[in-house]
Amino acid sequence: MRFFIAILCLGVFSSCATMFGGSNYVAHVNIKDHRDAEIVHNGRTYGYGYTSILVSRKYADRFAFSAKKEGCQSQEYHFNSKIFRGWSLLGSIIFWTGIAPPGIPLPYGVVLDGATGAWWKPNVAERGIRKGDYKNYYYTVSYDGCPDPVKSTEEVISDEELIKFQKLRELKGLLDQGVISKDEFDTQKRRILEKY
């Protein structure tokens, strides 16, 4: 009976790496200098020029997308490396191990984190990847299959502007969901605009 309760708890409660970092991360994809390039991942269009894609941490070494644009060759991008988040394994062992009768350690956190892949993260040593924070990674790529457009100052977006845009969008989402008040929104918005 206790075994079944433990299994039920695995489904209900998260463990260390799953709680702190999650089993997914957000890949922010930026096709440099091509704001109208279609970004396709797993056969689905996610946006044009810049978009965000939710990626399972265990597949960080198999993340791929393509850029498409009328009059240009389609170009594929593959990211084939991931890094082990060692601190998360240690946290799972220390904080998420129970004791099953008759005193046998039950590492349910290790099992859950191993199953969800929460121990992994993209390898920022791979060209084109930059870490924003533990949950957000930025993929900036060039579109070699398409000639460079004539750039206007409006078309050039820096990484800092992309981060600012993402943070403002997340903040607006919190306001729309009623998580924060209008005053809190205004205060946080001012801080973001001052920082970036």
Side-chain angles (χ1 to χ4, degrees):
M1 179 67 175
R2 289 182 182 170
F3 175 76
F4 293 109
I5 292 172
I7 295 298
L8 178 63
C9 288
L10 280 178
V12 175
F13 299 106
S14 294
S15 61
C16 188
T18 303
M19 269 182 67
F20 302 103
S23 57
N24 301 306
Y25 68 93
V26 180
H28 302 276
V29 176
N30 179 27
I31 310 294
K32 276 197 309 190
D33 304 325
H34 292 277
R35 301 283 302 282
D36 55 349
E38 181 181 3
I39 300 169
V40 179
H41 170 66
N42 287 340
R44 176 181 159 204
T45 298
Y46 277 79
Y48 294 83
Y50 173 81
T51 194
S52 300
I53 302 170
L54 192 64
V55 181
S56 172
R57 286 186 180 277
K58 65 181 167 185
Y59 299 127
D61 60 340
R62 288 181 254 169
F63 179 53
F65 58 89
S66 61
K68 298 196 314 190
K69 189 173 169 180
E70 191 173 331
C72 299
Q73 290 183 345
S74 176
Q75 185 168 344
E76 292 190 7
Y77 305 88
H78 297 272
F79 296 89
N80 306 309
S81 182
K82 64 185 177 184
I83 295 178
F84 187 71
R85 299 165 62 211
W87 66 266
S88 62
L89 172 60
L90 184 61
S92 297
I93 292 170
I94 294 172
F95 298 109
W96 300 95
T97 297
I99 302 295
I104 300 169
L106 182 63
Y108 60 89
V110 173
V111 173
L112 181 60
D113 289 343
T116 64
W119 291 329
W120 299 100
K121 64 182 178 181
N123 185 357
V124 295
E126 200 167 354
R127 187 176 176 195
I129 305 177
R130 186 176 55 79
K131 180 179 178 180
D133 57 33
Y134 68 94
K135 191 81 171 162
N136 295 281
Y137 289 82
Y138 295 84
Y139 293 74
T140 303
V141 296
S142 297
Y143 192 177
D144 302 325
C146 198
D148 284 342
V150 177
K151 298 176 193 173
S152 71
T153 54
E154 295 173 354
E155 290 179 320
V156 180
I157 295 184
S158 69
D159 286 343
E160 276 199 351
E161 288 172 319
L162 290 174
I163 293 170
K164 177 175 71 174
F165 171 76
Q166 182 63 29
K167 288 189 178 296
L168 289 172
R169 188 167 68 175
E170 290 171 1
L171 189 63
K172 179 70 165 71
L174 293 174
L175 176 66
D176 292 343
Q177 294 169 21
V179 175
I180 60 173
S181 68
K182 180 74 167 83
D183 289 341
E184 290 171 314
F185 171 81
D186 291 337
T187 302
Q188 292 298 324
K189 179 180 174 182
R190 194 167 37 256
R191 286 181 185 158
I192 291 169
L193 292 174
E194 287 170 1
K195 184 173 180 181
Y196 298 99

